[in-house]
Structure formats: C-alpha cells, structure tokens
Amino acid sequence: MGKTKPVATVFIDTNILKFSAVKKHIYRAKKTTVNWGGTEFETEYHEPRTVNDLHKIKNEVQKRDAVFLGMLAYAGISEWLNFYIHREVDLETWGLPGMASPSGRFFGCTINEVPDPVAPQSRIILGGNKKFEEHILDFVCSIKHPRFVELTKMTGAYQGASKPLNLNQALDAYHIWCAESAEMDYFLTMDYKLQKVVGRSKVETSVKVATPDQLLRLVIPKFGLVGAIKFMWNGYKFAKPRVGFDEGKVWT
C-alpha cells in the first residue's frame, strides 16, 4: 500500500524564500572596440547574463541547505509535503532585494497561506513619517496575547517591559505562533541561531524547527521505500538545473 500524501505540513520562514531566489538576470558591463567614421575607439556596453547567487554563499552548511531547497520544493510539487506561510512573511520579503527571481517563488512550488493566530486587527503598513520596518515593529509591539509574549521570550525578542521588542526576533516569534496556531508539523528555516535559541529555551513549541537538511532526513523515510527512491532520483533531476545552473549564459 502506498503512503498517504502529504506526510507533513511545513511553515516556511522568510529566509527560505530568500535563499530559493538564486537565479538572477543582470546586465554585465563589457568593453569593445568600435570603428566610427574611420576612427577606432573603446566603449562600454552591457550584455544580459544569468548569475547564480549560490556562489556568493561562503558558509558551506548554508550553501548545502540552499541546494536542498530545490529538492524540498519538488517534495511539495509531488505532494509529499504541503508548504505554508502567513501574509506577514510576504510583507517581510518586501524589504529584501532580488526576490523577483527567474527561479520562481520557491521554485514554483505551491505555497498556501495560514490564517491569523487571533482575529485580525486594522494596522498601518506604509505612510506617515515612519519607515516600513517601524510600522511592522508597532504591529508586533501591540500584540499582548499571552502566547505571543511567551514566544517573544523564547526567541529573544523581549527586552524588558519598558523597552520595545527586537524586530527580527519578534517576527520569528510571530511566524512560529502562526505555525503553531495552524498546527503545522515543521517550521523550516535557515536561521541557525534561531534554531539554537529555540532549542535552549524553556518555552516549548508544538512545531519542530528544522533546517532544509534536517527536514529532508526527517520526512524522506515517511515516503516509504519505493517513494523515497523515486523522490531522490526525480528530486535531484528537478533541483539540479534550478540551483546548479552554469553562470554567464544569456538569459534563460
């Protein structure tokens, strides 16, 4: 009997969308010699080229996990996994460069949306004399729900009763809260510091925080023997041209 799909639900952290946007189309400056009216002179022009942002990653563990994202996306496309975000994750990507990648959003894998942990309230995203990040900070600092307060202490966002939350850690807490409320199995992240902080915290969470490498190791055995063999072969064929393409070619 075949395994029932999906085998797990996964909430995606913002950095997963960032590291899956690896393919970039750029214009690269080149010099050439031009003959104009019998006179030769050197000029510069720009030609379209495709580059791979994976080559910019110096940390080998981080680079390995970024490569594995292609295989995880294939696990979603082949319905072994269901992936989710909250719209707050989308908002956070607004401030990240290079997100409009030809690689596609998470390599074209379907990403569903989870509801708000509590009834949504009106909020300001842009405008006034405040920056985009300041409006987000106002939003997270306005949440007084006991569980969110617990999670801000777990992630290190809580700085004291008289101080504002640390924005990045507060967003981590909010994302984990969203995943908990939606009863996700896993919280996928490439924030290794966050994983360590959560692991050391006395505050517990119902979702397992995992890196791409760890998630693959946890879920592949659930595919069954035949399913796992097929996935490893087809997942590799899917991921290889999307994360390991050659640089320098004309846009593809």
Side-chain angles (χ1 to χ4, degrees):
M1 181 180 293
K3 295 291 182 177
T4 302
K5 298 181 179 182
V7 299
T9 54
V10 184
F11 188 95
I12 297 179
D13 199 2
T14 309
N15 52 62
I16 298 302
L17 297 179
K18 171 187 173 184
F19 281 103
S20 62
V22 292
K23 181 180 282 190
K24 299 290 190 298
H25 285 165
I26 66 167
Y27 283 99
R28 181 169 287 166
K30 290 194 70 174
K31 290 184 178 180
T32 188
T33 300
V34 176
N35 188 306
W36 186 269
T39 302
E40 287 191 350
F41 62 93
E42 190 177 72
T43 188
E44 186 177 88
Y45 71 101
H46 293 78
E47 60 180 6
R49 284 292 178 263
T50 301
V51 296
N52 188 341
D53 273 5
L54 283 178
H55 297 315
K56 297 179 181 179
I57 303 175
K58 303 301 181 183
N59 183 297
E60 290 302 319
V61 173
Q62 193 176 61
K63 181 180 289 188
R64 176 204 64 196
D65 276 337
V67 170
F68 285 153
L69 290 179
M71 293 191 69
L72 284 170
Y74 181 75
I77 291 170
S78 56
E79 301 181 345
W80 283 113
L81 300 175
N82 278 354
F83 290 97
Y84 295 83
I85 59 170
H86 182 268
R87 63 174 174 271
E88 202 64 39
V89 171
D90 265 334
L91 286 177
E92 197 175 350
T93 64
W94 288 9
L96 298 178
M99 293 304 296
S101 167
S103 305
R105 190 176 188 231
F106 197 38
F107 303 105
C109 175
T110 297
I111 304 175
N112 305 293
E113 189 172 298
V114 302
D116 297 288
V118 293
Q121 300 175 349
S122 61
R123 56 175 293 199
I124 299 173
I125 297 176
L126 296 170
N129 297 321
K130 292 186 176 182
K131 297 179 180 179
F132 175 64
E133 293 80 5
E134 292 175 312
H135 284 301
I136 296 177
L137 182 60
D138 287 344
F139 167 65
V140 292
C141 287
S142 70
I143 303 173
K144 306 303 179 185
H145 191 281
R147 181 54 181 164
F148 178 68
V149 174
E150 280 186 318
L151 291 172
T152 61
K153 294 177 180 179
M154 179 181 75
T155 62
Y158 184 78
Q159 304 294 309
S162 60
K163 296 181 180 179
L165 298 173
N166 180 291
L167 178 57
N168 289 334
Q169 284 85 345
L171 286 172
D172 289 334
Y174 190 79
H175 296 163
I176 292 174
W177 190 28
C178 291
E180 281 185 350
S181 300
E183 300 181 341
M184 298 285 102
D185 298 310
Y186 298 100
F187 183 90
L188 180 62
T189 186
M190 286 176 61
D191 186 339
Y192 308 109
K193 182 178 179 181
L194 171 64
Q195 187 184 44
K196 290 179 181 178
V197 168
V198 171
R200 292 195 300 260
S201 176
K202 294 180 180 179
V203 179
E204 296 183 352
T205 176
S206 59
V207 294
K208 183 172 182 59
V209 179
T211 63
D213 176 47
Q214 291 168 342
L215 183 60
L216 280 171
R217 293 173 186 270
L218 287 165
V219 299
I220 286 178
K222 299 180 182 181
F223 298 175
L225 179 60
V226 175
I229 293 172
K230 288 182 177 179
F231 168 77
M232 291 299 292
W233 175 242
N234 292 325
Y236 171 78
K237 289 195 298 181
F238 174 86
K240 187 178 184 297
R242 289 167 173 79
V243 299
F245 58 89
D246 294 330
E247 276 196 340
K249 294 183 178 180
V250 177
W251 290 1
T252 56

